[in-house]
Amino acid sequence: MSNYNSKSPKAEEFISHEEILSTLQFAEEHKNDIEEMDKILERARDCKGLTYREAAQLLECDDKEINDKIFSVAKEIKDKFYGNRIVMFAPLYLSNYCVNGCRYCPYHGQNKHIRRSKLTQEEIRREVIALQDMGHKRLAIELGEHPTMNPIEYVLESIDTIYSIKHKNGAIRRVNVNIAATTVENYKKLHDAGIGTYILFQETYNKDQYEYLHPTGPKSDYAYHTEAMDRAMQGGIDDVGCGVLFGLNLYKYDFVGILMHAKHLEDTYGCGPHTISVPRVRPADDIDPDEFDNGVPDHIFKRIIAILRIAVPYTGIIMSTRESEEMRGEAIEIGVSQISGGSRTSVGGYVEEETEENNSAQFDVSDRRTLNEVVDWLIDKGHIPSFCTACYREGRTGDRFMSLVKSGQIANICQPNAMMTLKEYLEDYASEETKAKGLALINERLASIPNEKVRQLVEEHLKDMDRGKRDFRL
Ligand code: SF4
Ligand code: SF4
């Protein structure tokens, strides 16, 4: 008898091992039922999402026609809800001191040869100015877990510092936070500090594997970690970002696990995760390459992304520079809605060039292009790079954000915001060549804004920007 209960507050009941195994078995037994798969995909076109069981069935199926249809339905849903805008962000590493023992991460407490550092507020200022000068408006701050080096007060002070810096036309308008699982009280403090999304990767939902991978430190407590999003929601943060590190465990298990987690949040709090990230394991210092070898092959990884797009249509999907230009290019067509650009994954990496000697990177970056190169590439592909942070600043978070997406108003809100923030980027930071291409793309896409009043307003704001004004949003 399964102990599964999607509304339970207990990790082992809302992520039920038995239920995951029975789901995987069901998917395996029904993988040749092509008619059933086709029906699932036809239903999915209504954009109401899929159950984790249906999603697992699609993932298991290796019929070529069904596979092609998975990608075409995913693209259809992505176009409908997200249009062709791709939201840009950058990670900012504040400190790599960490007391945990995660076997796959070079910041683990036992690694004695990685350079440890923690940015002072002055150093944060310099990093943020460097990021603003690239054109970034949205950051995700990253820290290891350390009670004395990285206490919550340090995180809060750093968020204040980041929001306070206004350099030339630059501003960081949304700070997402990726810190270790913490208390409801601390989540309240983060909420009051005005964070965007609280991000915490589960790494793996398999409890035994989780405990093996996290032998020491506070993170070794599976239940405390898995229930963190509940505490974040109880602390008032209604935009939470989930993720697993694909390659740590059997991918099928974690795929079902993350959908179960999404269902738990939706059933309990009326709002699923704001985003899902899809990192795969990368080489890193002091990590055994044979144990963690990026175990999910590309063709399956793409299927995972496409089925996630279909299963949770209202959840943004994030892909970092861990993945190559080629993979990112394919992923944005079938599901990914947010990518990083020009990223440095070491502490202080935006000001100080990373070298062999001073390298404190968390993982090797695959896509090493500058932000301008990524923007240019997106424009060439017909996507609008977006520096938009409007929803959070307009109070459209949690279920208010979800209703906006569900109402299909993205074309009247998201696309115009993408155009206006791209224009800001082009005016202030782009190369001449990128600027010319980007302005042409904006002109071409203006006509696709369905609401006439919105279109006129955007046209006015674009002209205002020529006169030096900035920061327009809907
Ligand atoms: Fe620390 Fe996070 Fe790395 Fe684990 S994954 S060692 S918690 S920084
Ligand atoms: Fe994101 Fe909202 Fe901006 Fe769209 S309008 S890009 S959903 S912040």
Side-chain angles (χ1 to χ4, degrees):
M1 223 340 239
S2 158
N3 60 347
Y4 179 54
N5 175 359
S6 76
K7 289 188 181 172
S8 168
K10 291 189 188 156
E12 286 181 59
E13 291 179 3
F14 65 77
I15 306 290
S16 160
H17 178 64
E18 290 78 20
E19 178 64 12
I20 294 180
L21 293 185
S22 118
T23 302
L24 294 179
Q25 190 184 340
F26 180 87
E28 170 66 29
E29 286 165 3
H30 292 79
K31 70 177 181 188
N32 295 322
D33 190 345
I34 306 301
E35 210 177 308
E36 169 66 6
M37 304 289 173
D38 202 55
K39 276 191 200 154
I40 292 175
L41 284 169
E42 280 309 314
R43 276 202 303 278
R45 296 181 112 146
D46 290 343
C47 303
K48 302 243 161 50
L50 299 177
T51 64
Y52 54 77
R53 191 161 279 227
E54 290 168 333
Q57 277 176 265
L58 291 181
L59 189 60
E60 197 60 53
C61 181
D62 49 20
D63 178 79
K64 164 128 186 20
E65 270 178 40
I66 292 296
N67 204 30
D68 291 348
K69 193 163 177 178
I70 288 172
F71 288 111
S72 68
V73 174
K75 186 163 176 29
E76 192 178 305
I77 293 176
K78 171 149 195 284
D79 288 349
K80 183 165 175 188
F81 286 117
Y82 300 87
N84 52 10
R85 64 93 172 127
I86 299 290
V87 172
M88 307 300 305
F89 78 99
L92 172 59
Y93 282 74
L94 298 185
S95 164
N96 65 357
Y97 285 92
C98 191
V99 292
N100 287 310
C102 312
R103 289 184 194 267
Y104 49 85
C105 173
Y107 293 173
H108 66 79
Q110 290 76 31
N111 186 354
K112 298 291 176 230
H113 36 87
I114 197 162
R115 185 174 65 114
R116 301 276 169 185
S117 37
K118 168 186 169 180
L119 299 181
T120 62
Q121 298 306 308
E122 187 45 40
E123 286 166 335
I124 292 174
R125 272 184 65 80
R126 291 205 288 267
E127 288 281 292
V128 170
I129 287 172
L131 282 156
Q132 288 183 1
D133 282 347
M134 288 161 74
H136 278 295
K137 300 282 185 279
R138 177 189 285 246
L139 300 184
I141 58 170
E142 317 269 343
L143 299 89
E145 179 167 17
H146 200 293
T148 52
M149 293 304 284
N150 311 333
I152 191 73
E153 292 72 25
Y154 171 68
V155 181
L156 297 170
E157 189 186 359
S158 304
I159 294 168
D160 266 0
T161 301
I162 295 168
Y163 277 134
S164 72
I165 299 163
K166 304 279 179 285
H167 175 70
K168 297 183 183 165
N169 280 340
I172 298 302
R173 300 175 182 152
R174 177 176 178 128
V175 179
N176 297 334
V177 173
N178 183 353
I179 61 162
T182 185
T183 59
V184 175
E185 199 186 26
N186 283 346
Y187 286 125
K188 276 190 187 139
K189 290 179 185 167
L190 288 172
H191 174 253
D192 294 346
I195 70 161
T197 311
Y198 171 64
I199 303 162
L200 182 69
F201 295 165
Q202 177 63 30
E203 321 298 8
T204 175
Y205 285 94
N206 183 309
K207 185 167 183 277
D208 287 347
Q209 181 69 351
Y210 182 95
E211 286 171 354
Y212 165 73
L213 292 167
H214 306 98
T216 54
K219 193 170 171 180
S220 59
D221 185 337
Y222 174 82
Y224 190 74
H225 188 82
T226 312
E227 291 158 13
M229 294 313 193
D230 294 72
R231 293 193 300 280
M233 291 236 175
Q234 288 152 20
I237 299 174
D238 46 10
D239 283 352
V240 298
C242 297
V244 290
L245 186 46
F246 284 105
L248 289 183
N249 177 52
L250 181 66
Y251 69 85
K252 297 176 189 177
Y253 190 104
D254 283 330
F255 175 78
V256 176
I258 203 161
L259 290 174
M260 263 184 177
H261 200 174
K263 179 172 166 53
H264 164 67
L265 296 173
E266 172 100 44
D267 289 357
T268 313
Y269 304 98
C271 178
H274 188 68
T275 53
I276 287 180
S277 297
V278 289
R280 279 193 291 185
V281 176
R282 290 281 300 152
D285 178 66
D286 200 40
I287 299 303
D288 180 354
D290 295 330
E291 188 174 5
F292 304 110
D293 66 346
N294 210 359
V296 184
D298 287 355
H299 69 284
I300 293 188
F301 189 51
K302 283 182 246 172
R303 262 221 328 257
I304 289 174
I305 293 164
I307 302 171
L308 283 175
R309 178 68 301 137
I310 299 171
V312 282
Y314 315 122
T315 300
I317 302 181
I318 301 180
M319 183 172 269
S320 75
T321 51
R322 280 175 188 262
E323 296 295 339
S324 65
E325 170 182 340
E326 193 190 354
M327 174 55 75
R328 292 183 359 135
E330 292 184 54
I332 56 176
E333 302 298 336
I334 54 169
V336 166
S337 53
Q338 198 176 133
I339 63 173
S340 45
S343 301
R344 299 282 184 278
T345 62
S346 56
V347 181
Y350 292 104
V351 169
E352 194 185 344
E353 199 57 40
E354 286 167 11
T355 64
E356 284 276 303
E357 291 73 44
N358 75 4
N359 191 3
S360 63
Q362 193 184 25
F363 56 85
D364 283 357
V365 165
S366 258
D367 185 345
R368 297 189 159 272
R369 291 172 296 169
T370 63
L371 179 61
N372 192 81
E373 285 166 342
V374 176
V375 166
D376 197 271
W377 167 78
L378 286 170
I379 293 169
D380 280 347
K381 285 176 165 298
H383 290 278
I384 306 178
S386 173
F387 295 85
C388 175
T389 53
C391 283
Y392 143 80
R393 295 167 79 211
E394 292 292 319
R396 292 190 298 255
T397 60
D399 53 358
R400 288 175 299 279
F401 168 80
M402 290 294 170
S403 23
L404 169 80
V405 187
K406 287 178 189 173
S407 69
Q409 277 306 302
I410 286 293
N412 280 320
I413 294 182
C414 230
Q415 298 291 88
N417 281 331
M419 291 177 203
M420 291 191 291
T421 55
L422 174 60
K423 163 96 173 166
E424 248 189 300
Y425 174 83
L426 297 172
E427 293 297 337
D428 293 339
Y429 308 103
S431 69
E432 283 306 314
E433 197 190 337
T434 307
K435 182 174 171 181
K437 280 197 267 186
L439 292 176
L441 181 67
I442 294 171
N443 271 338
E444 180 199 315
R445 294 295 159 81
L446 265 173
S448 68
I449 300 175
N451 183 306
E452 202 183 319
K453 276 194 184 145
V454 173
R455 197 165 58 245
Q456 283 169 359
L457 192 64
V458 173
E459 280 168 356
E460 273 169 37
H461 287 334
L462 291 174
K463 284 186 201 139
D464 287 339
M465 279 189 237
D466 289 333
R467 293 189 280 271
K469 293 197 183 163
R470 295 289 180 268
D471 197 13
F472 295 102
R473 62 178 185 268
L474 301 172

